[in-house]
Amino acid sequence: MSLIRNPRSPTSLLNWVSHKVSTFKKPQPPINPRRSLSSTTTSKLPRNEIRRLTQLAMFDYFYNNRGLQFLIAESMSKHAPLFNDTLLNKLHNDSASCGDDVIRSITKFLLYHPVNEFEPFFESLGLKPSEFSPLVPCDKMFLNEDVFLLENYHVFWNYGIGREKMGKIFKEAREVFGYESGVLASKIESLERLGFGKVFVSKLIVCTPRVLTGETILEMVSVVDTVGSDWVLENLSEGGSYDWRCIHRCLAFLRELCGGDESEVLELIKNRPGLVLEESGEWTMILAGFQTKLGCSRSELVMRLPPQSSQEVGKCVSNLRHCFLFLRGIKMEAYEIGKVFRNHSHWLGESRLKHTSTFLNNLKGGKKRLCQVIQENPEEMKKWTMGLRVTPLPGTDVVDVVGSKAMKTQFLLELGYEEKEMERALRCFRGRGSELRERFEFLKSLGLSEGEAKEMVKASPDVLTQASNVLEAKVDYLVNELGYPLSTLVAFPSCLKYTLERMKVRFAMYNWLQERGKADAKLAISTILVYSDKSFVTRFVNRHPDGAKYFEELKRTASL
C-alpha cells in the first residue's frame, strides 16, 4: 500500500528489487536421478561389483524385457563376461557411485540399443568370439526367432548335458540344433534302444556329436561290440573329438596284425588305449606306414608299437621322425638307417635327440665319425637326447684336436693376425683349421685375389663358418642370377651371412616393386638385406597397396 500512496520512480524501484534478490542464497540445481554413468564424479565402485550388477541388469533385460526362459537368461547373463565387458566399455561406467546407476544405465541402453542375443548365448556355451562369429546368423537378432535352437538346447539340458558341453556339440555338429520338434529326442532314444545306458549315451554325444546325424553309427556299434561299452566309457575323454570310422579302421588293422586273434587285440588296446583313441587311431596308422617304409615286416609291426600306455603315439612318431632326419643329415646310408630303426625303434621313440648342430659342435667329430659310432653301437644315441649333457665321442684323439688348433692358428697368422690378436681371432673364426682353409680357397677360386679374399674374411669372419656348397649357392645367386659384380662381395662381405631364402624373398620383392615404379633402379645389396622384416615392410613393401600380400606369398613359397 505504501507503494501506491508514495510511488517511486522506475529507477529506484529497479534498484530496490535488485538489492532484495542479491540478499537471497542462490539455490543449487536439482540432481538428475537418471544421469548417465559417465557423468557421475563421486567415489567409484569396485570393478567386480560393477560386473555383478551388470549380470543382474542383463538377467533382468533377457528375462523380463525379452521374455527368455529363466535358465537361458541366467546362463547368458552370468557366463558371457566378454560380452558384458564390451557393453560396459560402451557406457564408460568406471565412475559409477552406486548400484542403481549401473543397472539403470544398462537397462536404458539396452532398451534403446537392442543387442544381438546370439553372441552372449554362444559365449555362454563356452565358445570363443573367434569360434562363434561365423555361426551368428545374418538374418536373425533375437533368440526367440530360432525356436528349434532353444528347444534342442532344453533337450540336451534335460538329458544331463551341460552348457559348455553343448558348445562343443555346436562346433562339431551344428545341424543337430536345427532339428525340428521331437527329432533330437527321438535320435537320443534310438541310441538307448541299442542297449546303451543314459550315462554312456550322454558321454558318447559329447565326445562324438556326429552320431546324432547317423553318419558313423554303424562303425560306432561295431567298435563298442568289440571292446565293450565299459572300456569306451572309461577311456573316452570329453575334451577330445573322435571319428568312429578312423577308430574302426585302426581296430581292423590291429586285428589283421594280430592274425585275427580278438583276445590279443583286446589285450593290446587294454594296455594301450591311445593306439585307437589318440587322433582316432591316425597316429598308429602313420607309425605303421613309417616303420614299413624302413623295412619292417607286417609281423614285426606289433613289436614296434609304443610299449607304454603313458607314451603318446603322436609324440613317438615325432621323435622317430626327428631321429630319421638326424641320420639323414649326417649322410647315413638308407639301409643303415633301416637297420637302426628295425632294431632300436622301441627306445628311439621315447625321447627326442638334440639338433644336429649340437652334435657337431660338442661331440668333436664330423659326420662320418658320427655314422661310424652309430653303426658300431646305436645305443650311444641314448646319451644325445634332450636334457642330457653331450660329451665328446669315445676314442677322440686329443692329439688331433691340438693339431687342428695349431692348423687354425697358422691359417689366422697367414691372414695377417698378430699374436696379440690371436685369442680374439680364434673365437671369431669357428671351425677346424682344415675347414677354414678349404672355404678360403673356395673364395679365391671365384676369381678373387688373395688380398681381396683376406679383406673379406677379416671384415666378416662369419663367411668362413659356412660350408663351401652353401657359399657357392649364395655367390651363384648374387653374381650369376642377379648380376652383381664380385667387387660387391668384397665391399659388403657380410651379405653372405644371410640365408639364401632371405636373399631370394627380398630381391623378388624388390624386383616386383621396381616393375611397378615403386623402387629405385639399382639399390645396394646392403640396403635390401640388412633391414629386419618389420623395417623392410615399412620401408619397401608398404609402398604398394598389394605389397604386403605379395610379400607373405613369397615367404610362404620360399619356406616350402
Side-chain angles (χ1 to χ4, degrees), residues 308-515:
Q308 302 175 6
S309 58
S310 60
Q311 185 178 0
E312 298 178 5
V313 185
K315 190 173 182 179
C316 175
V317 173
S318 177
N319 292 339
L320 290 175
R321 176 183 176 275
H322 186 74
C323 180
F324 174 79
L325 294 176
F326 160 70
L327 297 178
R328 286 290 303 273
I330 62 174
K331 309 299 182 182
M332 182 177 283
E333 297 293 338
Y335 71 91
E336 293 288 350
I337 295 177
K339 186 189 300 183
V340 170
F341 274 90
R342 284 194 299 273
N343 298 324
H344 302 278
S345 61
H346 59 282
W347 59 263
L348 286 173
E350 294 179 2
S351 54
R352 190 177 184 86
L353 294 178
K354 294 180 182 291
H355 295 287
T356 308
S357 58
T358 304
F359 293 109
L360 299 179
N361 291 336
N362 297 332
L363 295 180
K364 300 189 183 301
K367 295 180 179 179
K368 292 183 179 179
R369 176 67 173 141
L370 276 177
C371 289
Q372 181 183 355
V373 171
I374 295 172
Q375 290 169 11
E376 293 175 355
N377 182 19
E379 294 197 0
E380 192 72 23
M381 287 190 289
K382 290 182 178 180
K383 303 176 183 179
W384 307 338
T385 56
M386 301 291 283
L388 297 180
R389 184 175 180 180
V390 177
T391 57
L393 289 173
T396 302
D397 193 354
V398 179
V399 178
D400 292 342
V401 176
V402 175
S404 176
K405 185 176 181 180
M407 186 182 300
K408 183 176 180 179
T409 303
Q410 180 61 34
F411 171 72
L412 295 177
L413 288 172
E414 293 177 5
L415 287 182
Y417 286 96
E418 299 179 359
E419 290 290 345
K420 60 181 180 181
E421 304 174 308
M422 193 55 62
E423 184 176 350
R424 183 180 62 85
L426 286 171
R427 291 196 302 267
C428 292
F429 288 86
R430 299 185 301 273
R432 300 170 66 88
S434 58
E435 295 173 340
L436 295 176
R437 185 174 294 279
E438 176 188 348
R439 294 161 189 168
F440 181 77
E441 293 298 328
F442 167 74
L443 292 177
K444 291 169 58 178
S445 68
L446 295 175
L448 299 173
S449 66
E450 185 169 346
E452 290 175 331
K454 287 181 180 180
E455 183 181 344
M456 282 183 62
V457 299
K458 291 184 71 175
S460 181
D462 289 339
V463 172
L464 295 186
T465 62
Q466 307 171 69
S468 298
N469 60 333
V470 176
L471 287 173
E472 183 178 8
K474 293 179 180 180
V475 173
D476 180 70
Y477 177 72
L478 293 172
V479 176
N480 296 331
E481 292 190 33
L482 298 182
Y484 284 94
L486 283 174
S487 58
T488 304
L489 304 182
V490 179
F492 182 56
S494 57
C495 68
L496 295 176
K497 73 180 182 181
Y498 298 104
T499 63
L500 185 61
E501 176 184 332
R502 182 190 184 104
M503 291 180 181
K504 291 184 176 181
V505 170
R506 293 289 180 90
F507 282 103
M509 187 70 221
Y510 165 68
N511 292 334
W512 186 84
L513 291 170
Q514 191 178 12
E515 291 173 358

Side-chain angles (χ1 to χ4, degrees), residues 90-155:
K90 293 180 180 179
L91 295 175
H92 307 292
N93 68 303
D94 290 337
S95 58
S97 60
C98 66
D100 290 341
D101 286 334
V102 178
I103 296 177
R104 188 182 301 116
S105 297
I106 293 176
T107 302
K108 182 178 180 180
F109 180 84
L110 293 176
L111 289 175
Y112 289 96
H113 304 85
V115 295
N116 190 317
E117 296 173 0
F118 288 92
E119 294 180 7
F121 175 75
F122 288 142
E123 187 180 350
S124 70
L125 298 184
L127 300 178
K128 300 177 182 178
S130 59
E131 295 173 332
F132 68 68
S133 293
L135 307 178
V136 176
C138 301
D139 56 341
K140 298 182 180 69
M141 188 172 179
F142 303 109
L143 281 177
N144 288 334
E145 297 180 78
D146 197 334
V147 180
F148 297 139
L149 173 66
L150 298 180
E151 179 179 333
N152 292 318
Y153 177 94
H154 285 286
V155 172

Side-chain angles (χ1 to χ4, degrees), residues 290-314:
F290 182 76
Q291 295 282 15
T292 301
K293 287 187 176 182
L294 292 173
C296 288
S297 63
R298 184 175 293 270
S299 59
E300 294 175 327
L301 286 178
V302 177
M303 304 300 296
R304 302 290 182 268
L305 297 176
Q308 302 175 6
S309 58
S310 60
Q311 185 178 0
E312 298 178 5
V313 185

